Amino acid sequence: MLTLLPKFEYYSPRTLEEALEFLEKVKSSYRVLAGGTDLLLEMKHKLRYPANTIVDISKLNELRYVKEKDGFIAIGSLTRIEDLKNSEIIRKRLPILAEIAAEFGTWQIRNMATIGGNVCNGSSSADYSLALLILDAELHFLSLKGERRVKSELFINDGNEAIKPGELLIEITIPKLQSKAGTSFLKYEGRRVSSIPILNVACMLELEDTFIKDVRIALGGVEQLPRRLKPVEEKLKELDVRDIDKVDRVLQTIPSLINPRSGVVASAEYRRAMSYVFVKRALLQALERCS
Amino acid sequence: MEKRIEFTLNGKKTECIVPCNMTLLDMLRTKFRMISVKKGCDSGDCGSCTVIVNNEPICSCLMLAVQADGKNVLTLEGVTSGGKLHPVQRAFLENHGMQCGICTPGFIITTYSLINKNPTPTIEEIREALEGNLCRCTGYSQIIESVMKASKLTSMKV
């Protein structure tokens, strides 16, 4: 039986310039196709699918790269997840991004899905959204009107710095981690591959002697959008990690700070309880990795 | 909206006119009769529709047919040459790497890609490469044995 997708106009620019020119003049509502692994699923659920133009940017190979620059790593928005898994620069400088890739979808999906698509699709449990939040990444949007740089937090967390019509996400820049910082990423799901997670957590921890100098924690899958747990981070700062009871008391406030969703994979109450458990595990893992 | 596309299918240059809202999976099965490409879940989870596009295994249910334009597409039909089974196919046959058979083309094409990139994979690497292919008969141990045999046959070039 044929799969019936909704009808749409299809446009496949060959260069970034061509893509931006098209986006500037297109009048109808459009969706951008990057890797397609989320978009095609959405199109198969026709009732939820409003756009009537598809702009396929998957041929823009100029947006597929990982580069090391002064003090930061630049990743092209169309870099495939499999590219991140195998990139020497990523493995060396931002191993957490390669770790996430290893647990991301399946080989087939990793060959299609892109980091930009994962972040722009706006899923609550988008693995790379969490990573960008704790790495303090910046997103670069480009349109014919010019470039706009947005802190990942404002794009992912607040949702009020959304992509504007005519814009494409072209690059993600990530400042290099302090050499002593430890990062961790945990995903809690019913099945190990290709499933919707109950929740996911990313954590970055930097110590000065045994005191917490800086800490960033992002929680996904729990609320509508992934978010940083800033009140928790603030209270953790300057605590001595040897005083684990004190640290734990701060983490125990997490269930009261979040507003979880109920869904097919887990109830709100379960997510609330597990948020504490998994943030604690992630923090301990990041601690182990602090040098 | 329809579009004319040109691409290489199993080594042969080909062209056709496809509706833009058709998946690569549907085009391969209906326009080219590549019926080794199976429609299982149609949502990227089961791997039965796996084909190789520009040397990478992908789910053809998650790609539009028009996206094949300019690309190199390989299905299981293109792995067999002149009616002779490929060593990976022979390995699956000899080790009974199949039960009901519907997932088999997907497993073989993914294995083919794995062995091309990594001729002597470890069991862990085999499991990782095949995690996107589901066998609902759960015949996984014979499948993994088949891949190991395929690796042997290919490295011996027989």
Side-chain angles (χ1 to χ4, degrees):
Chain A
M1 203 170 73
L2 285 181
T3 301
L4 291 171
L5 297 176
K7 287 200 168 124
F8 52 82
E9 296 289 314
Y10 173 83
Y11 186 68
S12 167
R14 302 266 158 183
T15 63
L16 180 57
E17 206 185 340
E18 218 181 293
L20 296 176
E21 275 164 17
F22 181 80
L23 290 183
E24 194 62 32
K25 63 174 197 258
V26 61
K27 291 279 175 280
S28 51
S29 60
Y30 65 84
R31 288 296 299 274
V32 173
L33 190 160
T37 54
D38 284 322
L39 185 62
L40 261 83
L41 284 184
E42 225 180 278
M43 288 161 77
K44 288 177 188 187
H45 298 120
K46 286 179 279 296
L47 291 175
R48 290 194 326 196
Y49 186 75
N52 49 21
T53 299
I54 295 294
V55 185
D56 174 8
I57 59 168
S58 62
K59 290 199 174 83
L60 307 183
N61 281 326
E62 65 233 68
L63 297 182
R64 186 176 180 183
Y65 56 85
V66 177
K67 288 179 195 158
E68 196 166 0
K69 295 184 180 169
D70 282 346
F72 59 90
I73 307 289
I75 304 172
S77 57
L78 292 183
T79 304
R80 307 288 188 279
I81 308 303
E82 187 70 11
D83 300 338
L84 295 175
K85 184 165 173 264
N86 300 324
S87 156
E88 279 304 315
I89 297 175
I90 294 294
R91 282 165 174 265
K92 219 165 119 193
R93 299 283 177 212
L94 294 166
I96 187 177
L97 299 188
E99 268 173 48
I100 291 175
E103 296 294 317
F104 189 104
T106 64
W107 190 18
Q108 288 92 328
I109 300 293
R110 288 193 295 273
N111 281 329
M112 307 175 84
T114 65
I115 184 166
N118 189 240
V119 174
C120 289
N121 192 44
S123 154
S124 161
S125 54
D127 293 348
Y128 283 97
S129 292
L130 295 189
L132 298 191
L133 282 175
I134 62 140
L135 294 172
D136 207 18
E138 204 169 54
L139 306 173
H140 300 227
F141 297 99
L142 192 65
S143 72
L144 284 190
K145 295 187 182 81
E147 192 177 344
R148 193 164 66 99
R149 293 172 175 228
V150 179
K151 283 269 174 210
S152 58
E153 206 188 321
L154 296 177
F155 180 72
I156 295 162
N157 212 155
D158 302 356
N160 51 11
E161 285 285 357
I163 306 179
K164 294 179 178 153
E167 277 185 341
L168 280 180
L169 173 65
I170 55 159
E171 188 178 85
I172 296 161
T173 50
I174 303 175
K176 274 187 197 155
L177 280 170
Q178 294 299 319
S179 58
K180 286 180 175 169
T183 53
S184 62
F185 175 82
L186 293 175
K187 181 154 61 173
Y188 181 35
E189 51 191 345
R191 183 175 175 268
R192 201 179 57 79
V193 289
S194 193
S195 67
I196 298 165
I198 295 166
L199 59 86
N200 46 7
V201 182
C203 185
M204 189 285 302
L205 183 67
E206 199 190 330
L207 297 182
E208 188 148 341
D209 297 325
T210 56
F211 292 90
I212 296 178
K213 188 178 169 203
D214 198 6
V215 59
R216 297 187 210 122
I217 302 166
L219 180 65
V222 170
E223 298 177 346
Q224 203 61 38
L225 290 167
R227 62 176 269 197
R228 284 268 298 274
L229 294 176
K230 282 202 163 168
V232 179
E233 295 171 5
E234 285 311 316
K235 284 185 199 140
L236 286 173
K237 273 180 201 164
E238 287 167 28
L239 289 186
D240 188 336
V241 288
R242 286 173 307 184
D243 192 352
I244 194 72
D245 287 342
K246 224 172 190 174
V247 171
D248 193 42
R249 275 201 293 280
V250 174
L251 297 181
Q252 279 175 13
T253 62
I254 291 172
S256 64
L257 296 171
I258 54 178
N259 188 16
R261 311 170 294 166
S262 263
V264 198
V265 295
S267 68
E269 279 321 294
Y270 190 63
R271 282 193 161 115
R272 195 186 293 282
M274 288 303 112
S275 293
Y276 158 69
V277 173
F278 277 80
V279 169
K280 188 172 175 180
R281 287 183 193 172
L283 191 70
L284 291 174
Q285 196 182 88
L287 178 61
E288 272 172 33
R289 291 171 175 190
C290 282
S291 51
Chain B
M1 188 185 179
E2 287 187 331
K3 207 168 177 273
R4 178 196 178 82
I5 60 168
E6 284 177 30
F7 66 108
T8 305
L9 177 59
N10 296 332
K12 271 189 210 147
K13 285 224 180 285
T14 176
E15 53 178 73
C16 72
I17 292 171
V18 283
C20 290
N21 62 348
M22 182 179 247
T23 61
L24 176 60
L25 166 61
D26 279 345
M27 176 183 81
L28 290 172
R29 284 186 64 87
T30 60
K31 297 223 180 232
F32 295 94
R33 302 295 299 158
M34 295 292 151
I35 54 169
S36 76
V37 191
K38 304 297 183 196
K39 188 180 284 190
C41 68
D42 206 18
S43 54
D45 289 315
C46 77
S48 303
C49 69
T50 303
V51 298
I52 296 175
V53 174
N54 288 0
N55 290 320
E56 306 292 348
I58 58 110
C59 291
S60 60
C61 72
L62 292 182
M63 193 178 262
L64 296 172
V66 285
Q67 290 186 274
D69 189 36
K71 300 220 164 88
N72 200 336
V73 181
L74 183 74
T75 71
L76 190 60
E77 285 84 350
V79 168
T80 316
S81 66
K84 209 170 153 237
L85 293 182
H86 187 274
V88 176
Q89 291 173 302
R90 273 174 36 216
F92 270 73
L93 200 59
E94 285 165 18
N95 289 273
H96 206 72
M98 70 204 77
Q99 289 185 35
C100 84
I102 191 155
C103 68
T104 312
F107 269 100
I108 293 180
I109 201 96
T110 310
T111 303
Y112 173 85
S113 198
L114 169 68
I115 302 256
N116 273 342
K117 287 171 196 290
N118 176 4
T120 50
T122 62
I123 290 189
E124 203 37 56
E125 286 166 339
I126 294 170
R127 284 178 192 277
E128 193 188 306
L130 294 180
E131 69 187 9
N133 291 82
L134 299 184
C135 166
R136 286 293 84 148
C137 307
T138 69
Y140 292 106
S141 27
Q142 290 96 323
I143 289 173
I144 288 168
E145 279 164 28
S146 304
V147 180
M148 287 163 66
K149 181 70 188 250
S151 158
K152 243 179 233 159
L153 288 178
T154 324
S155 51
M156 292 188 321
K157 300 234 180 293
V158 286

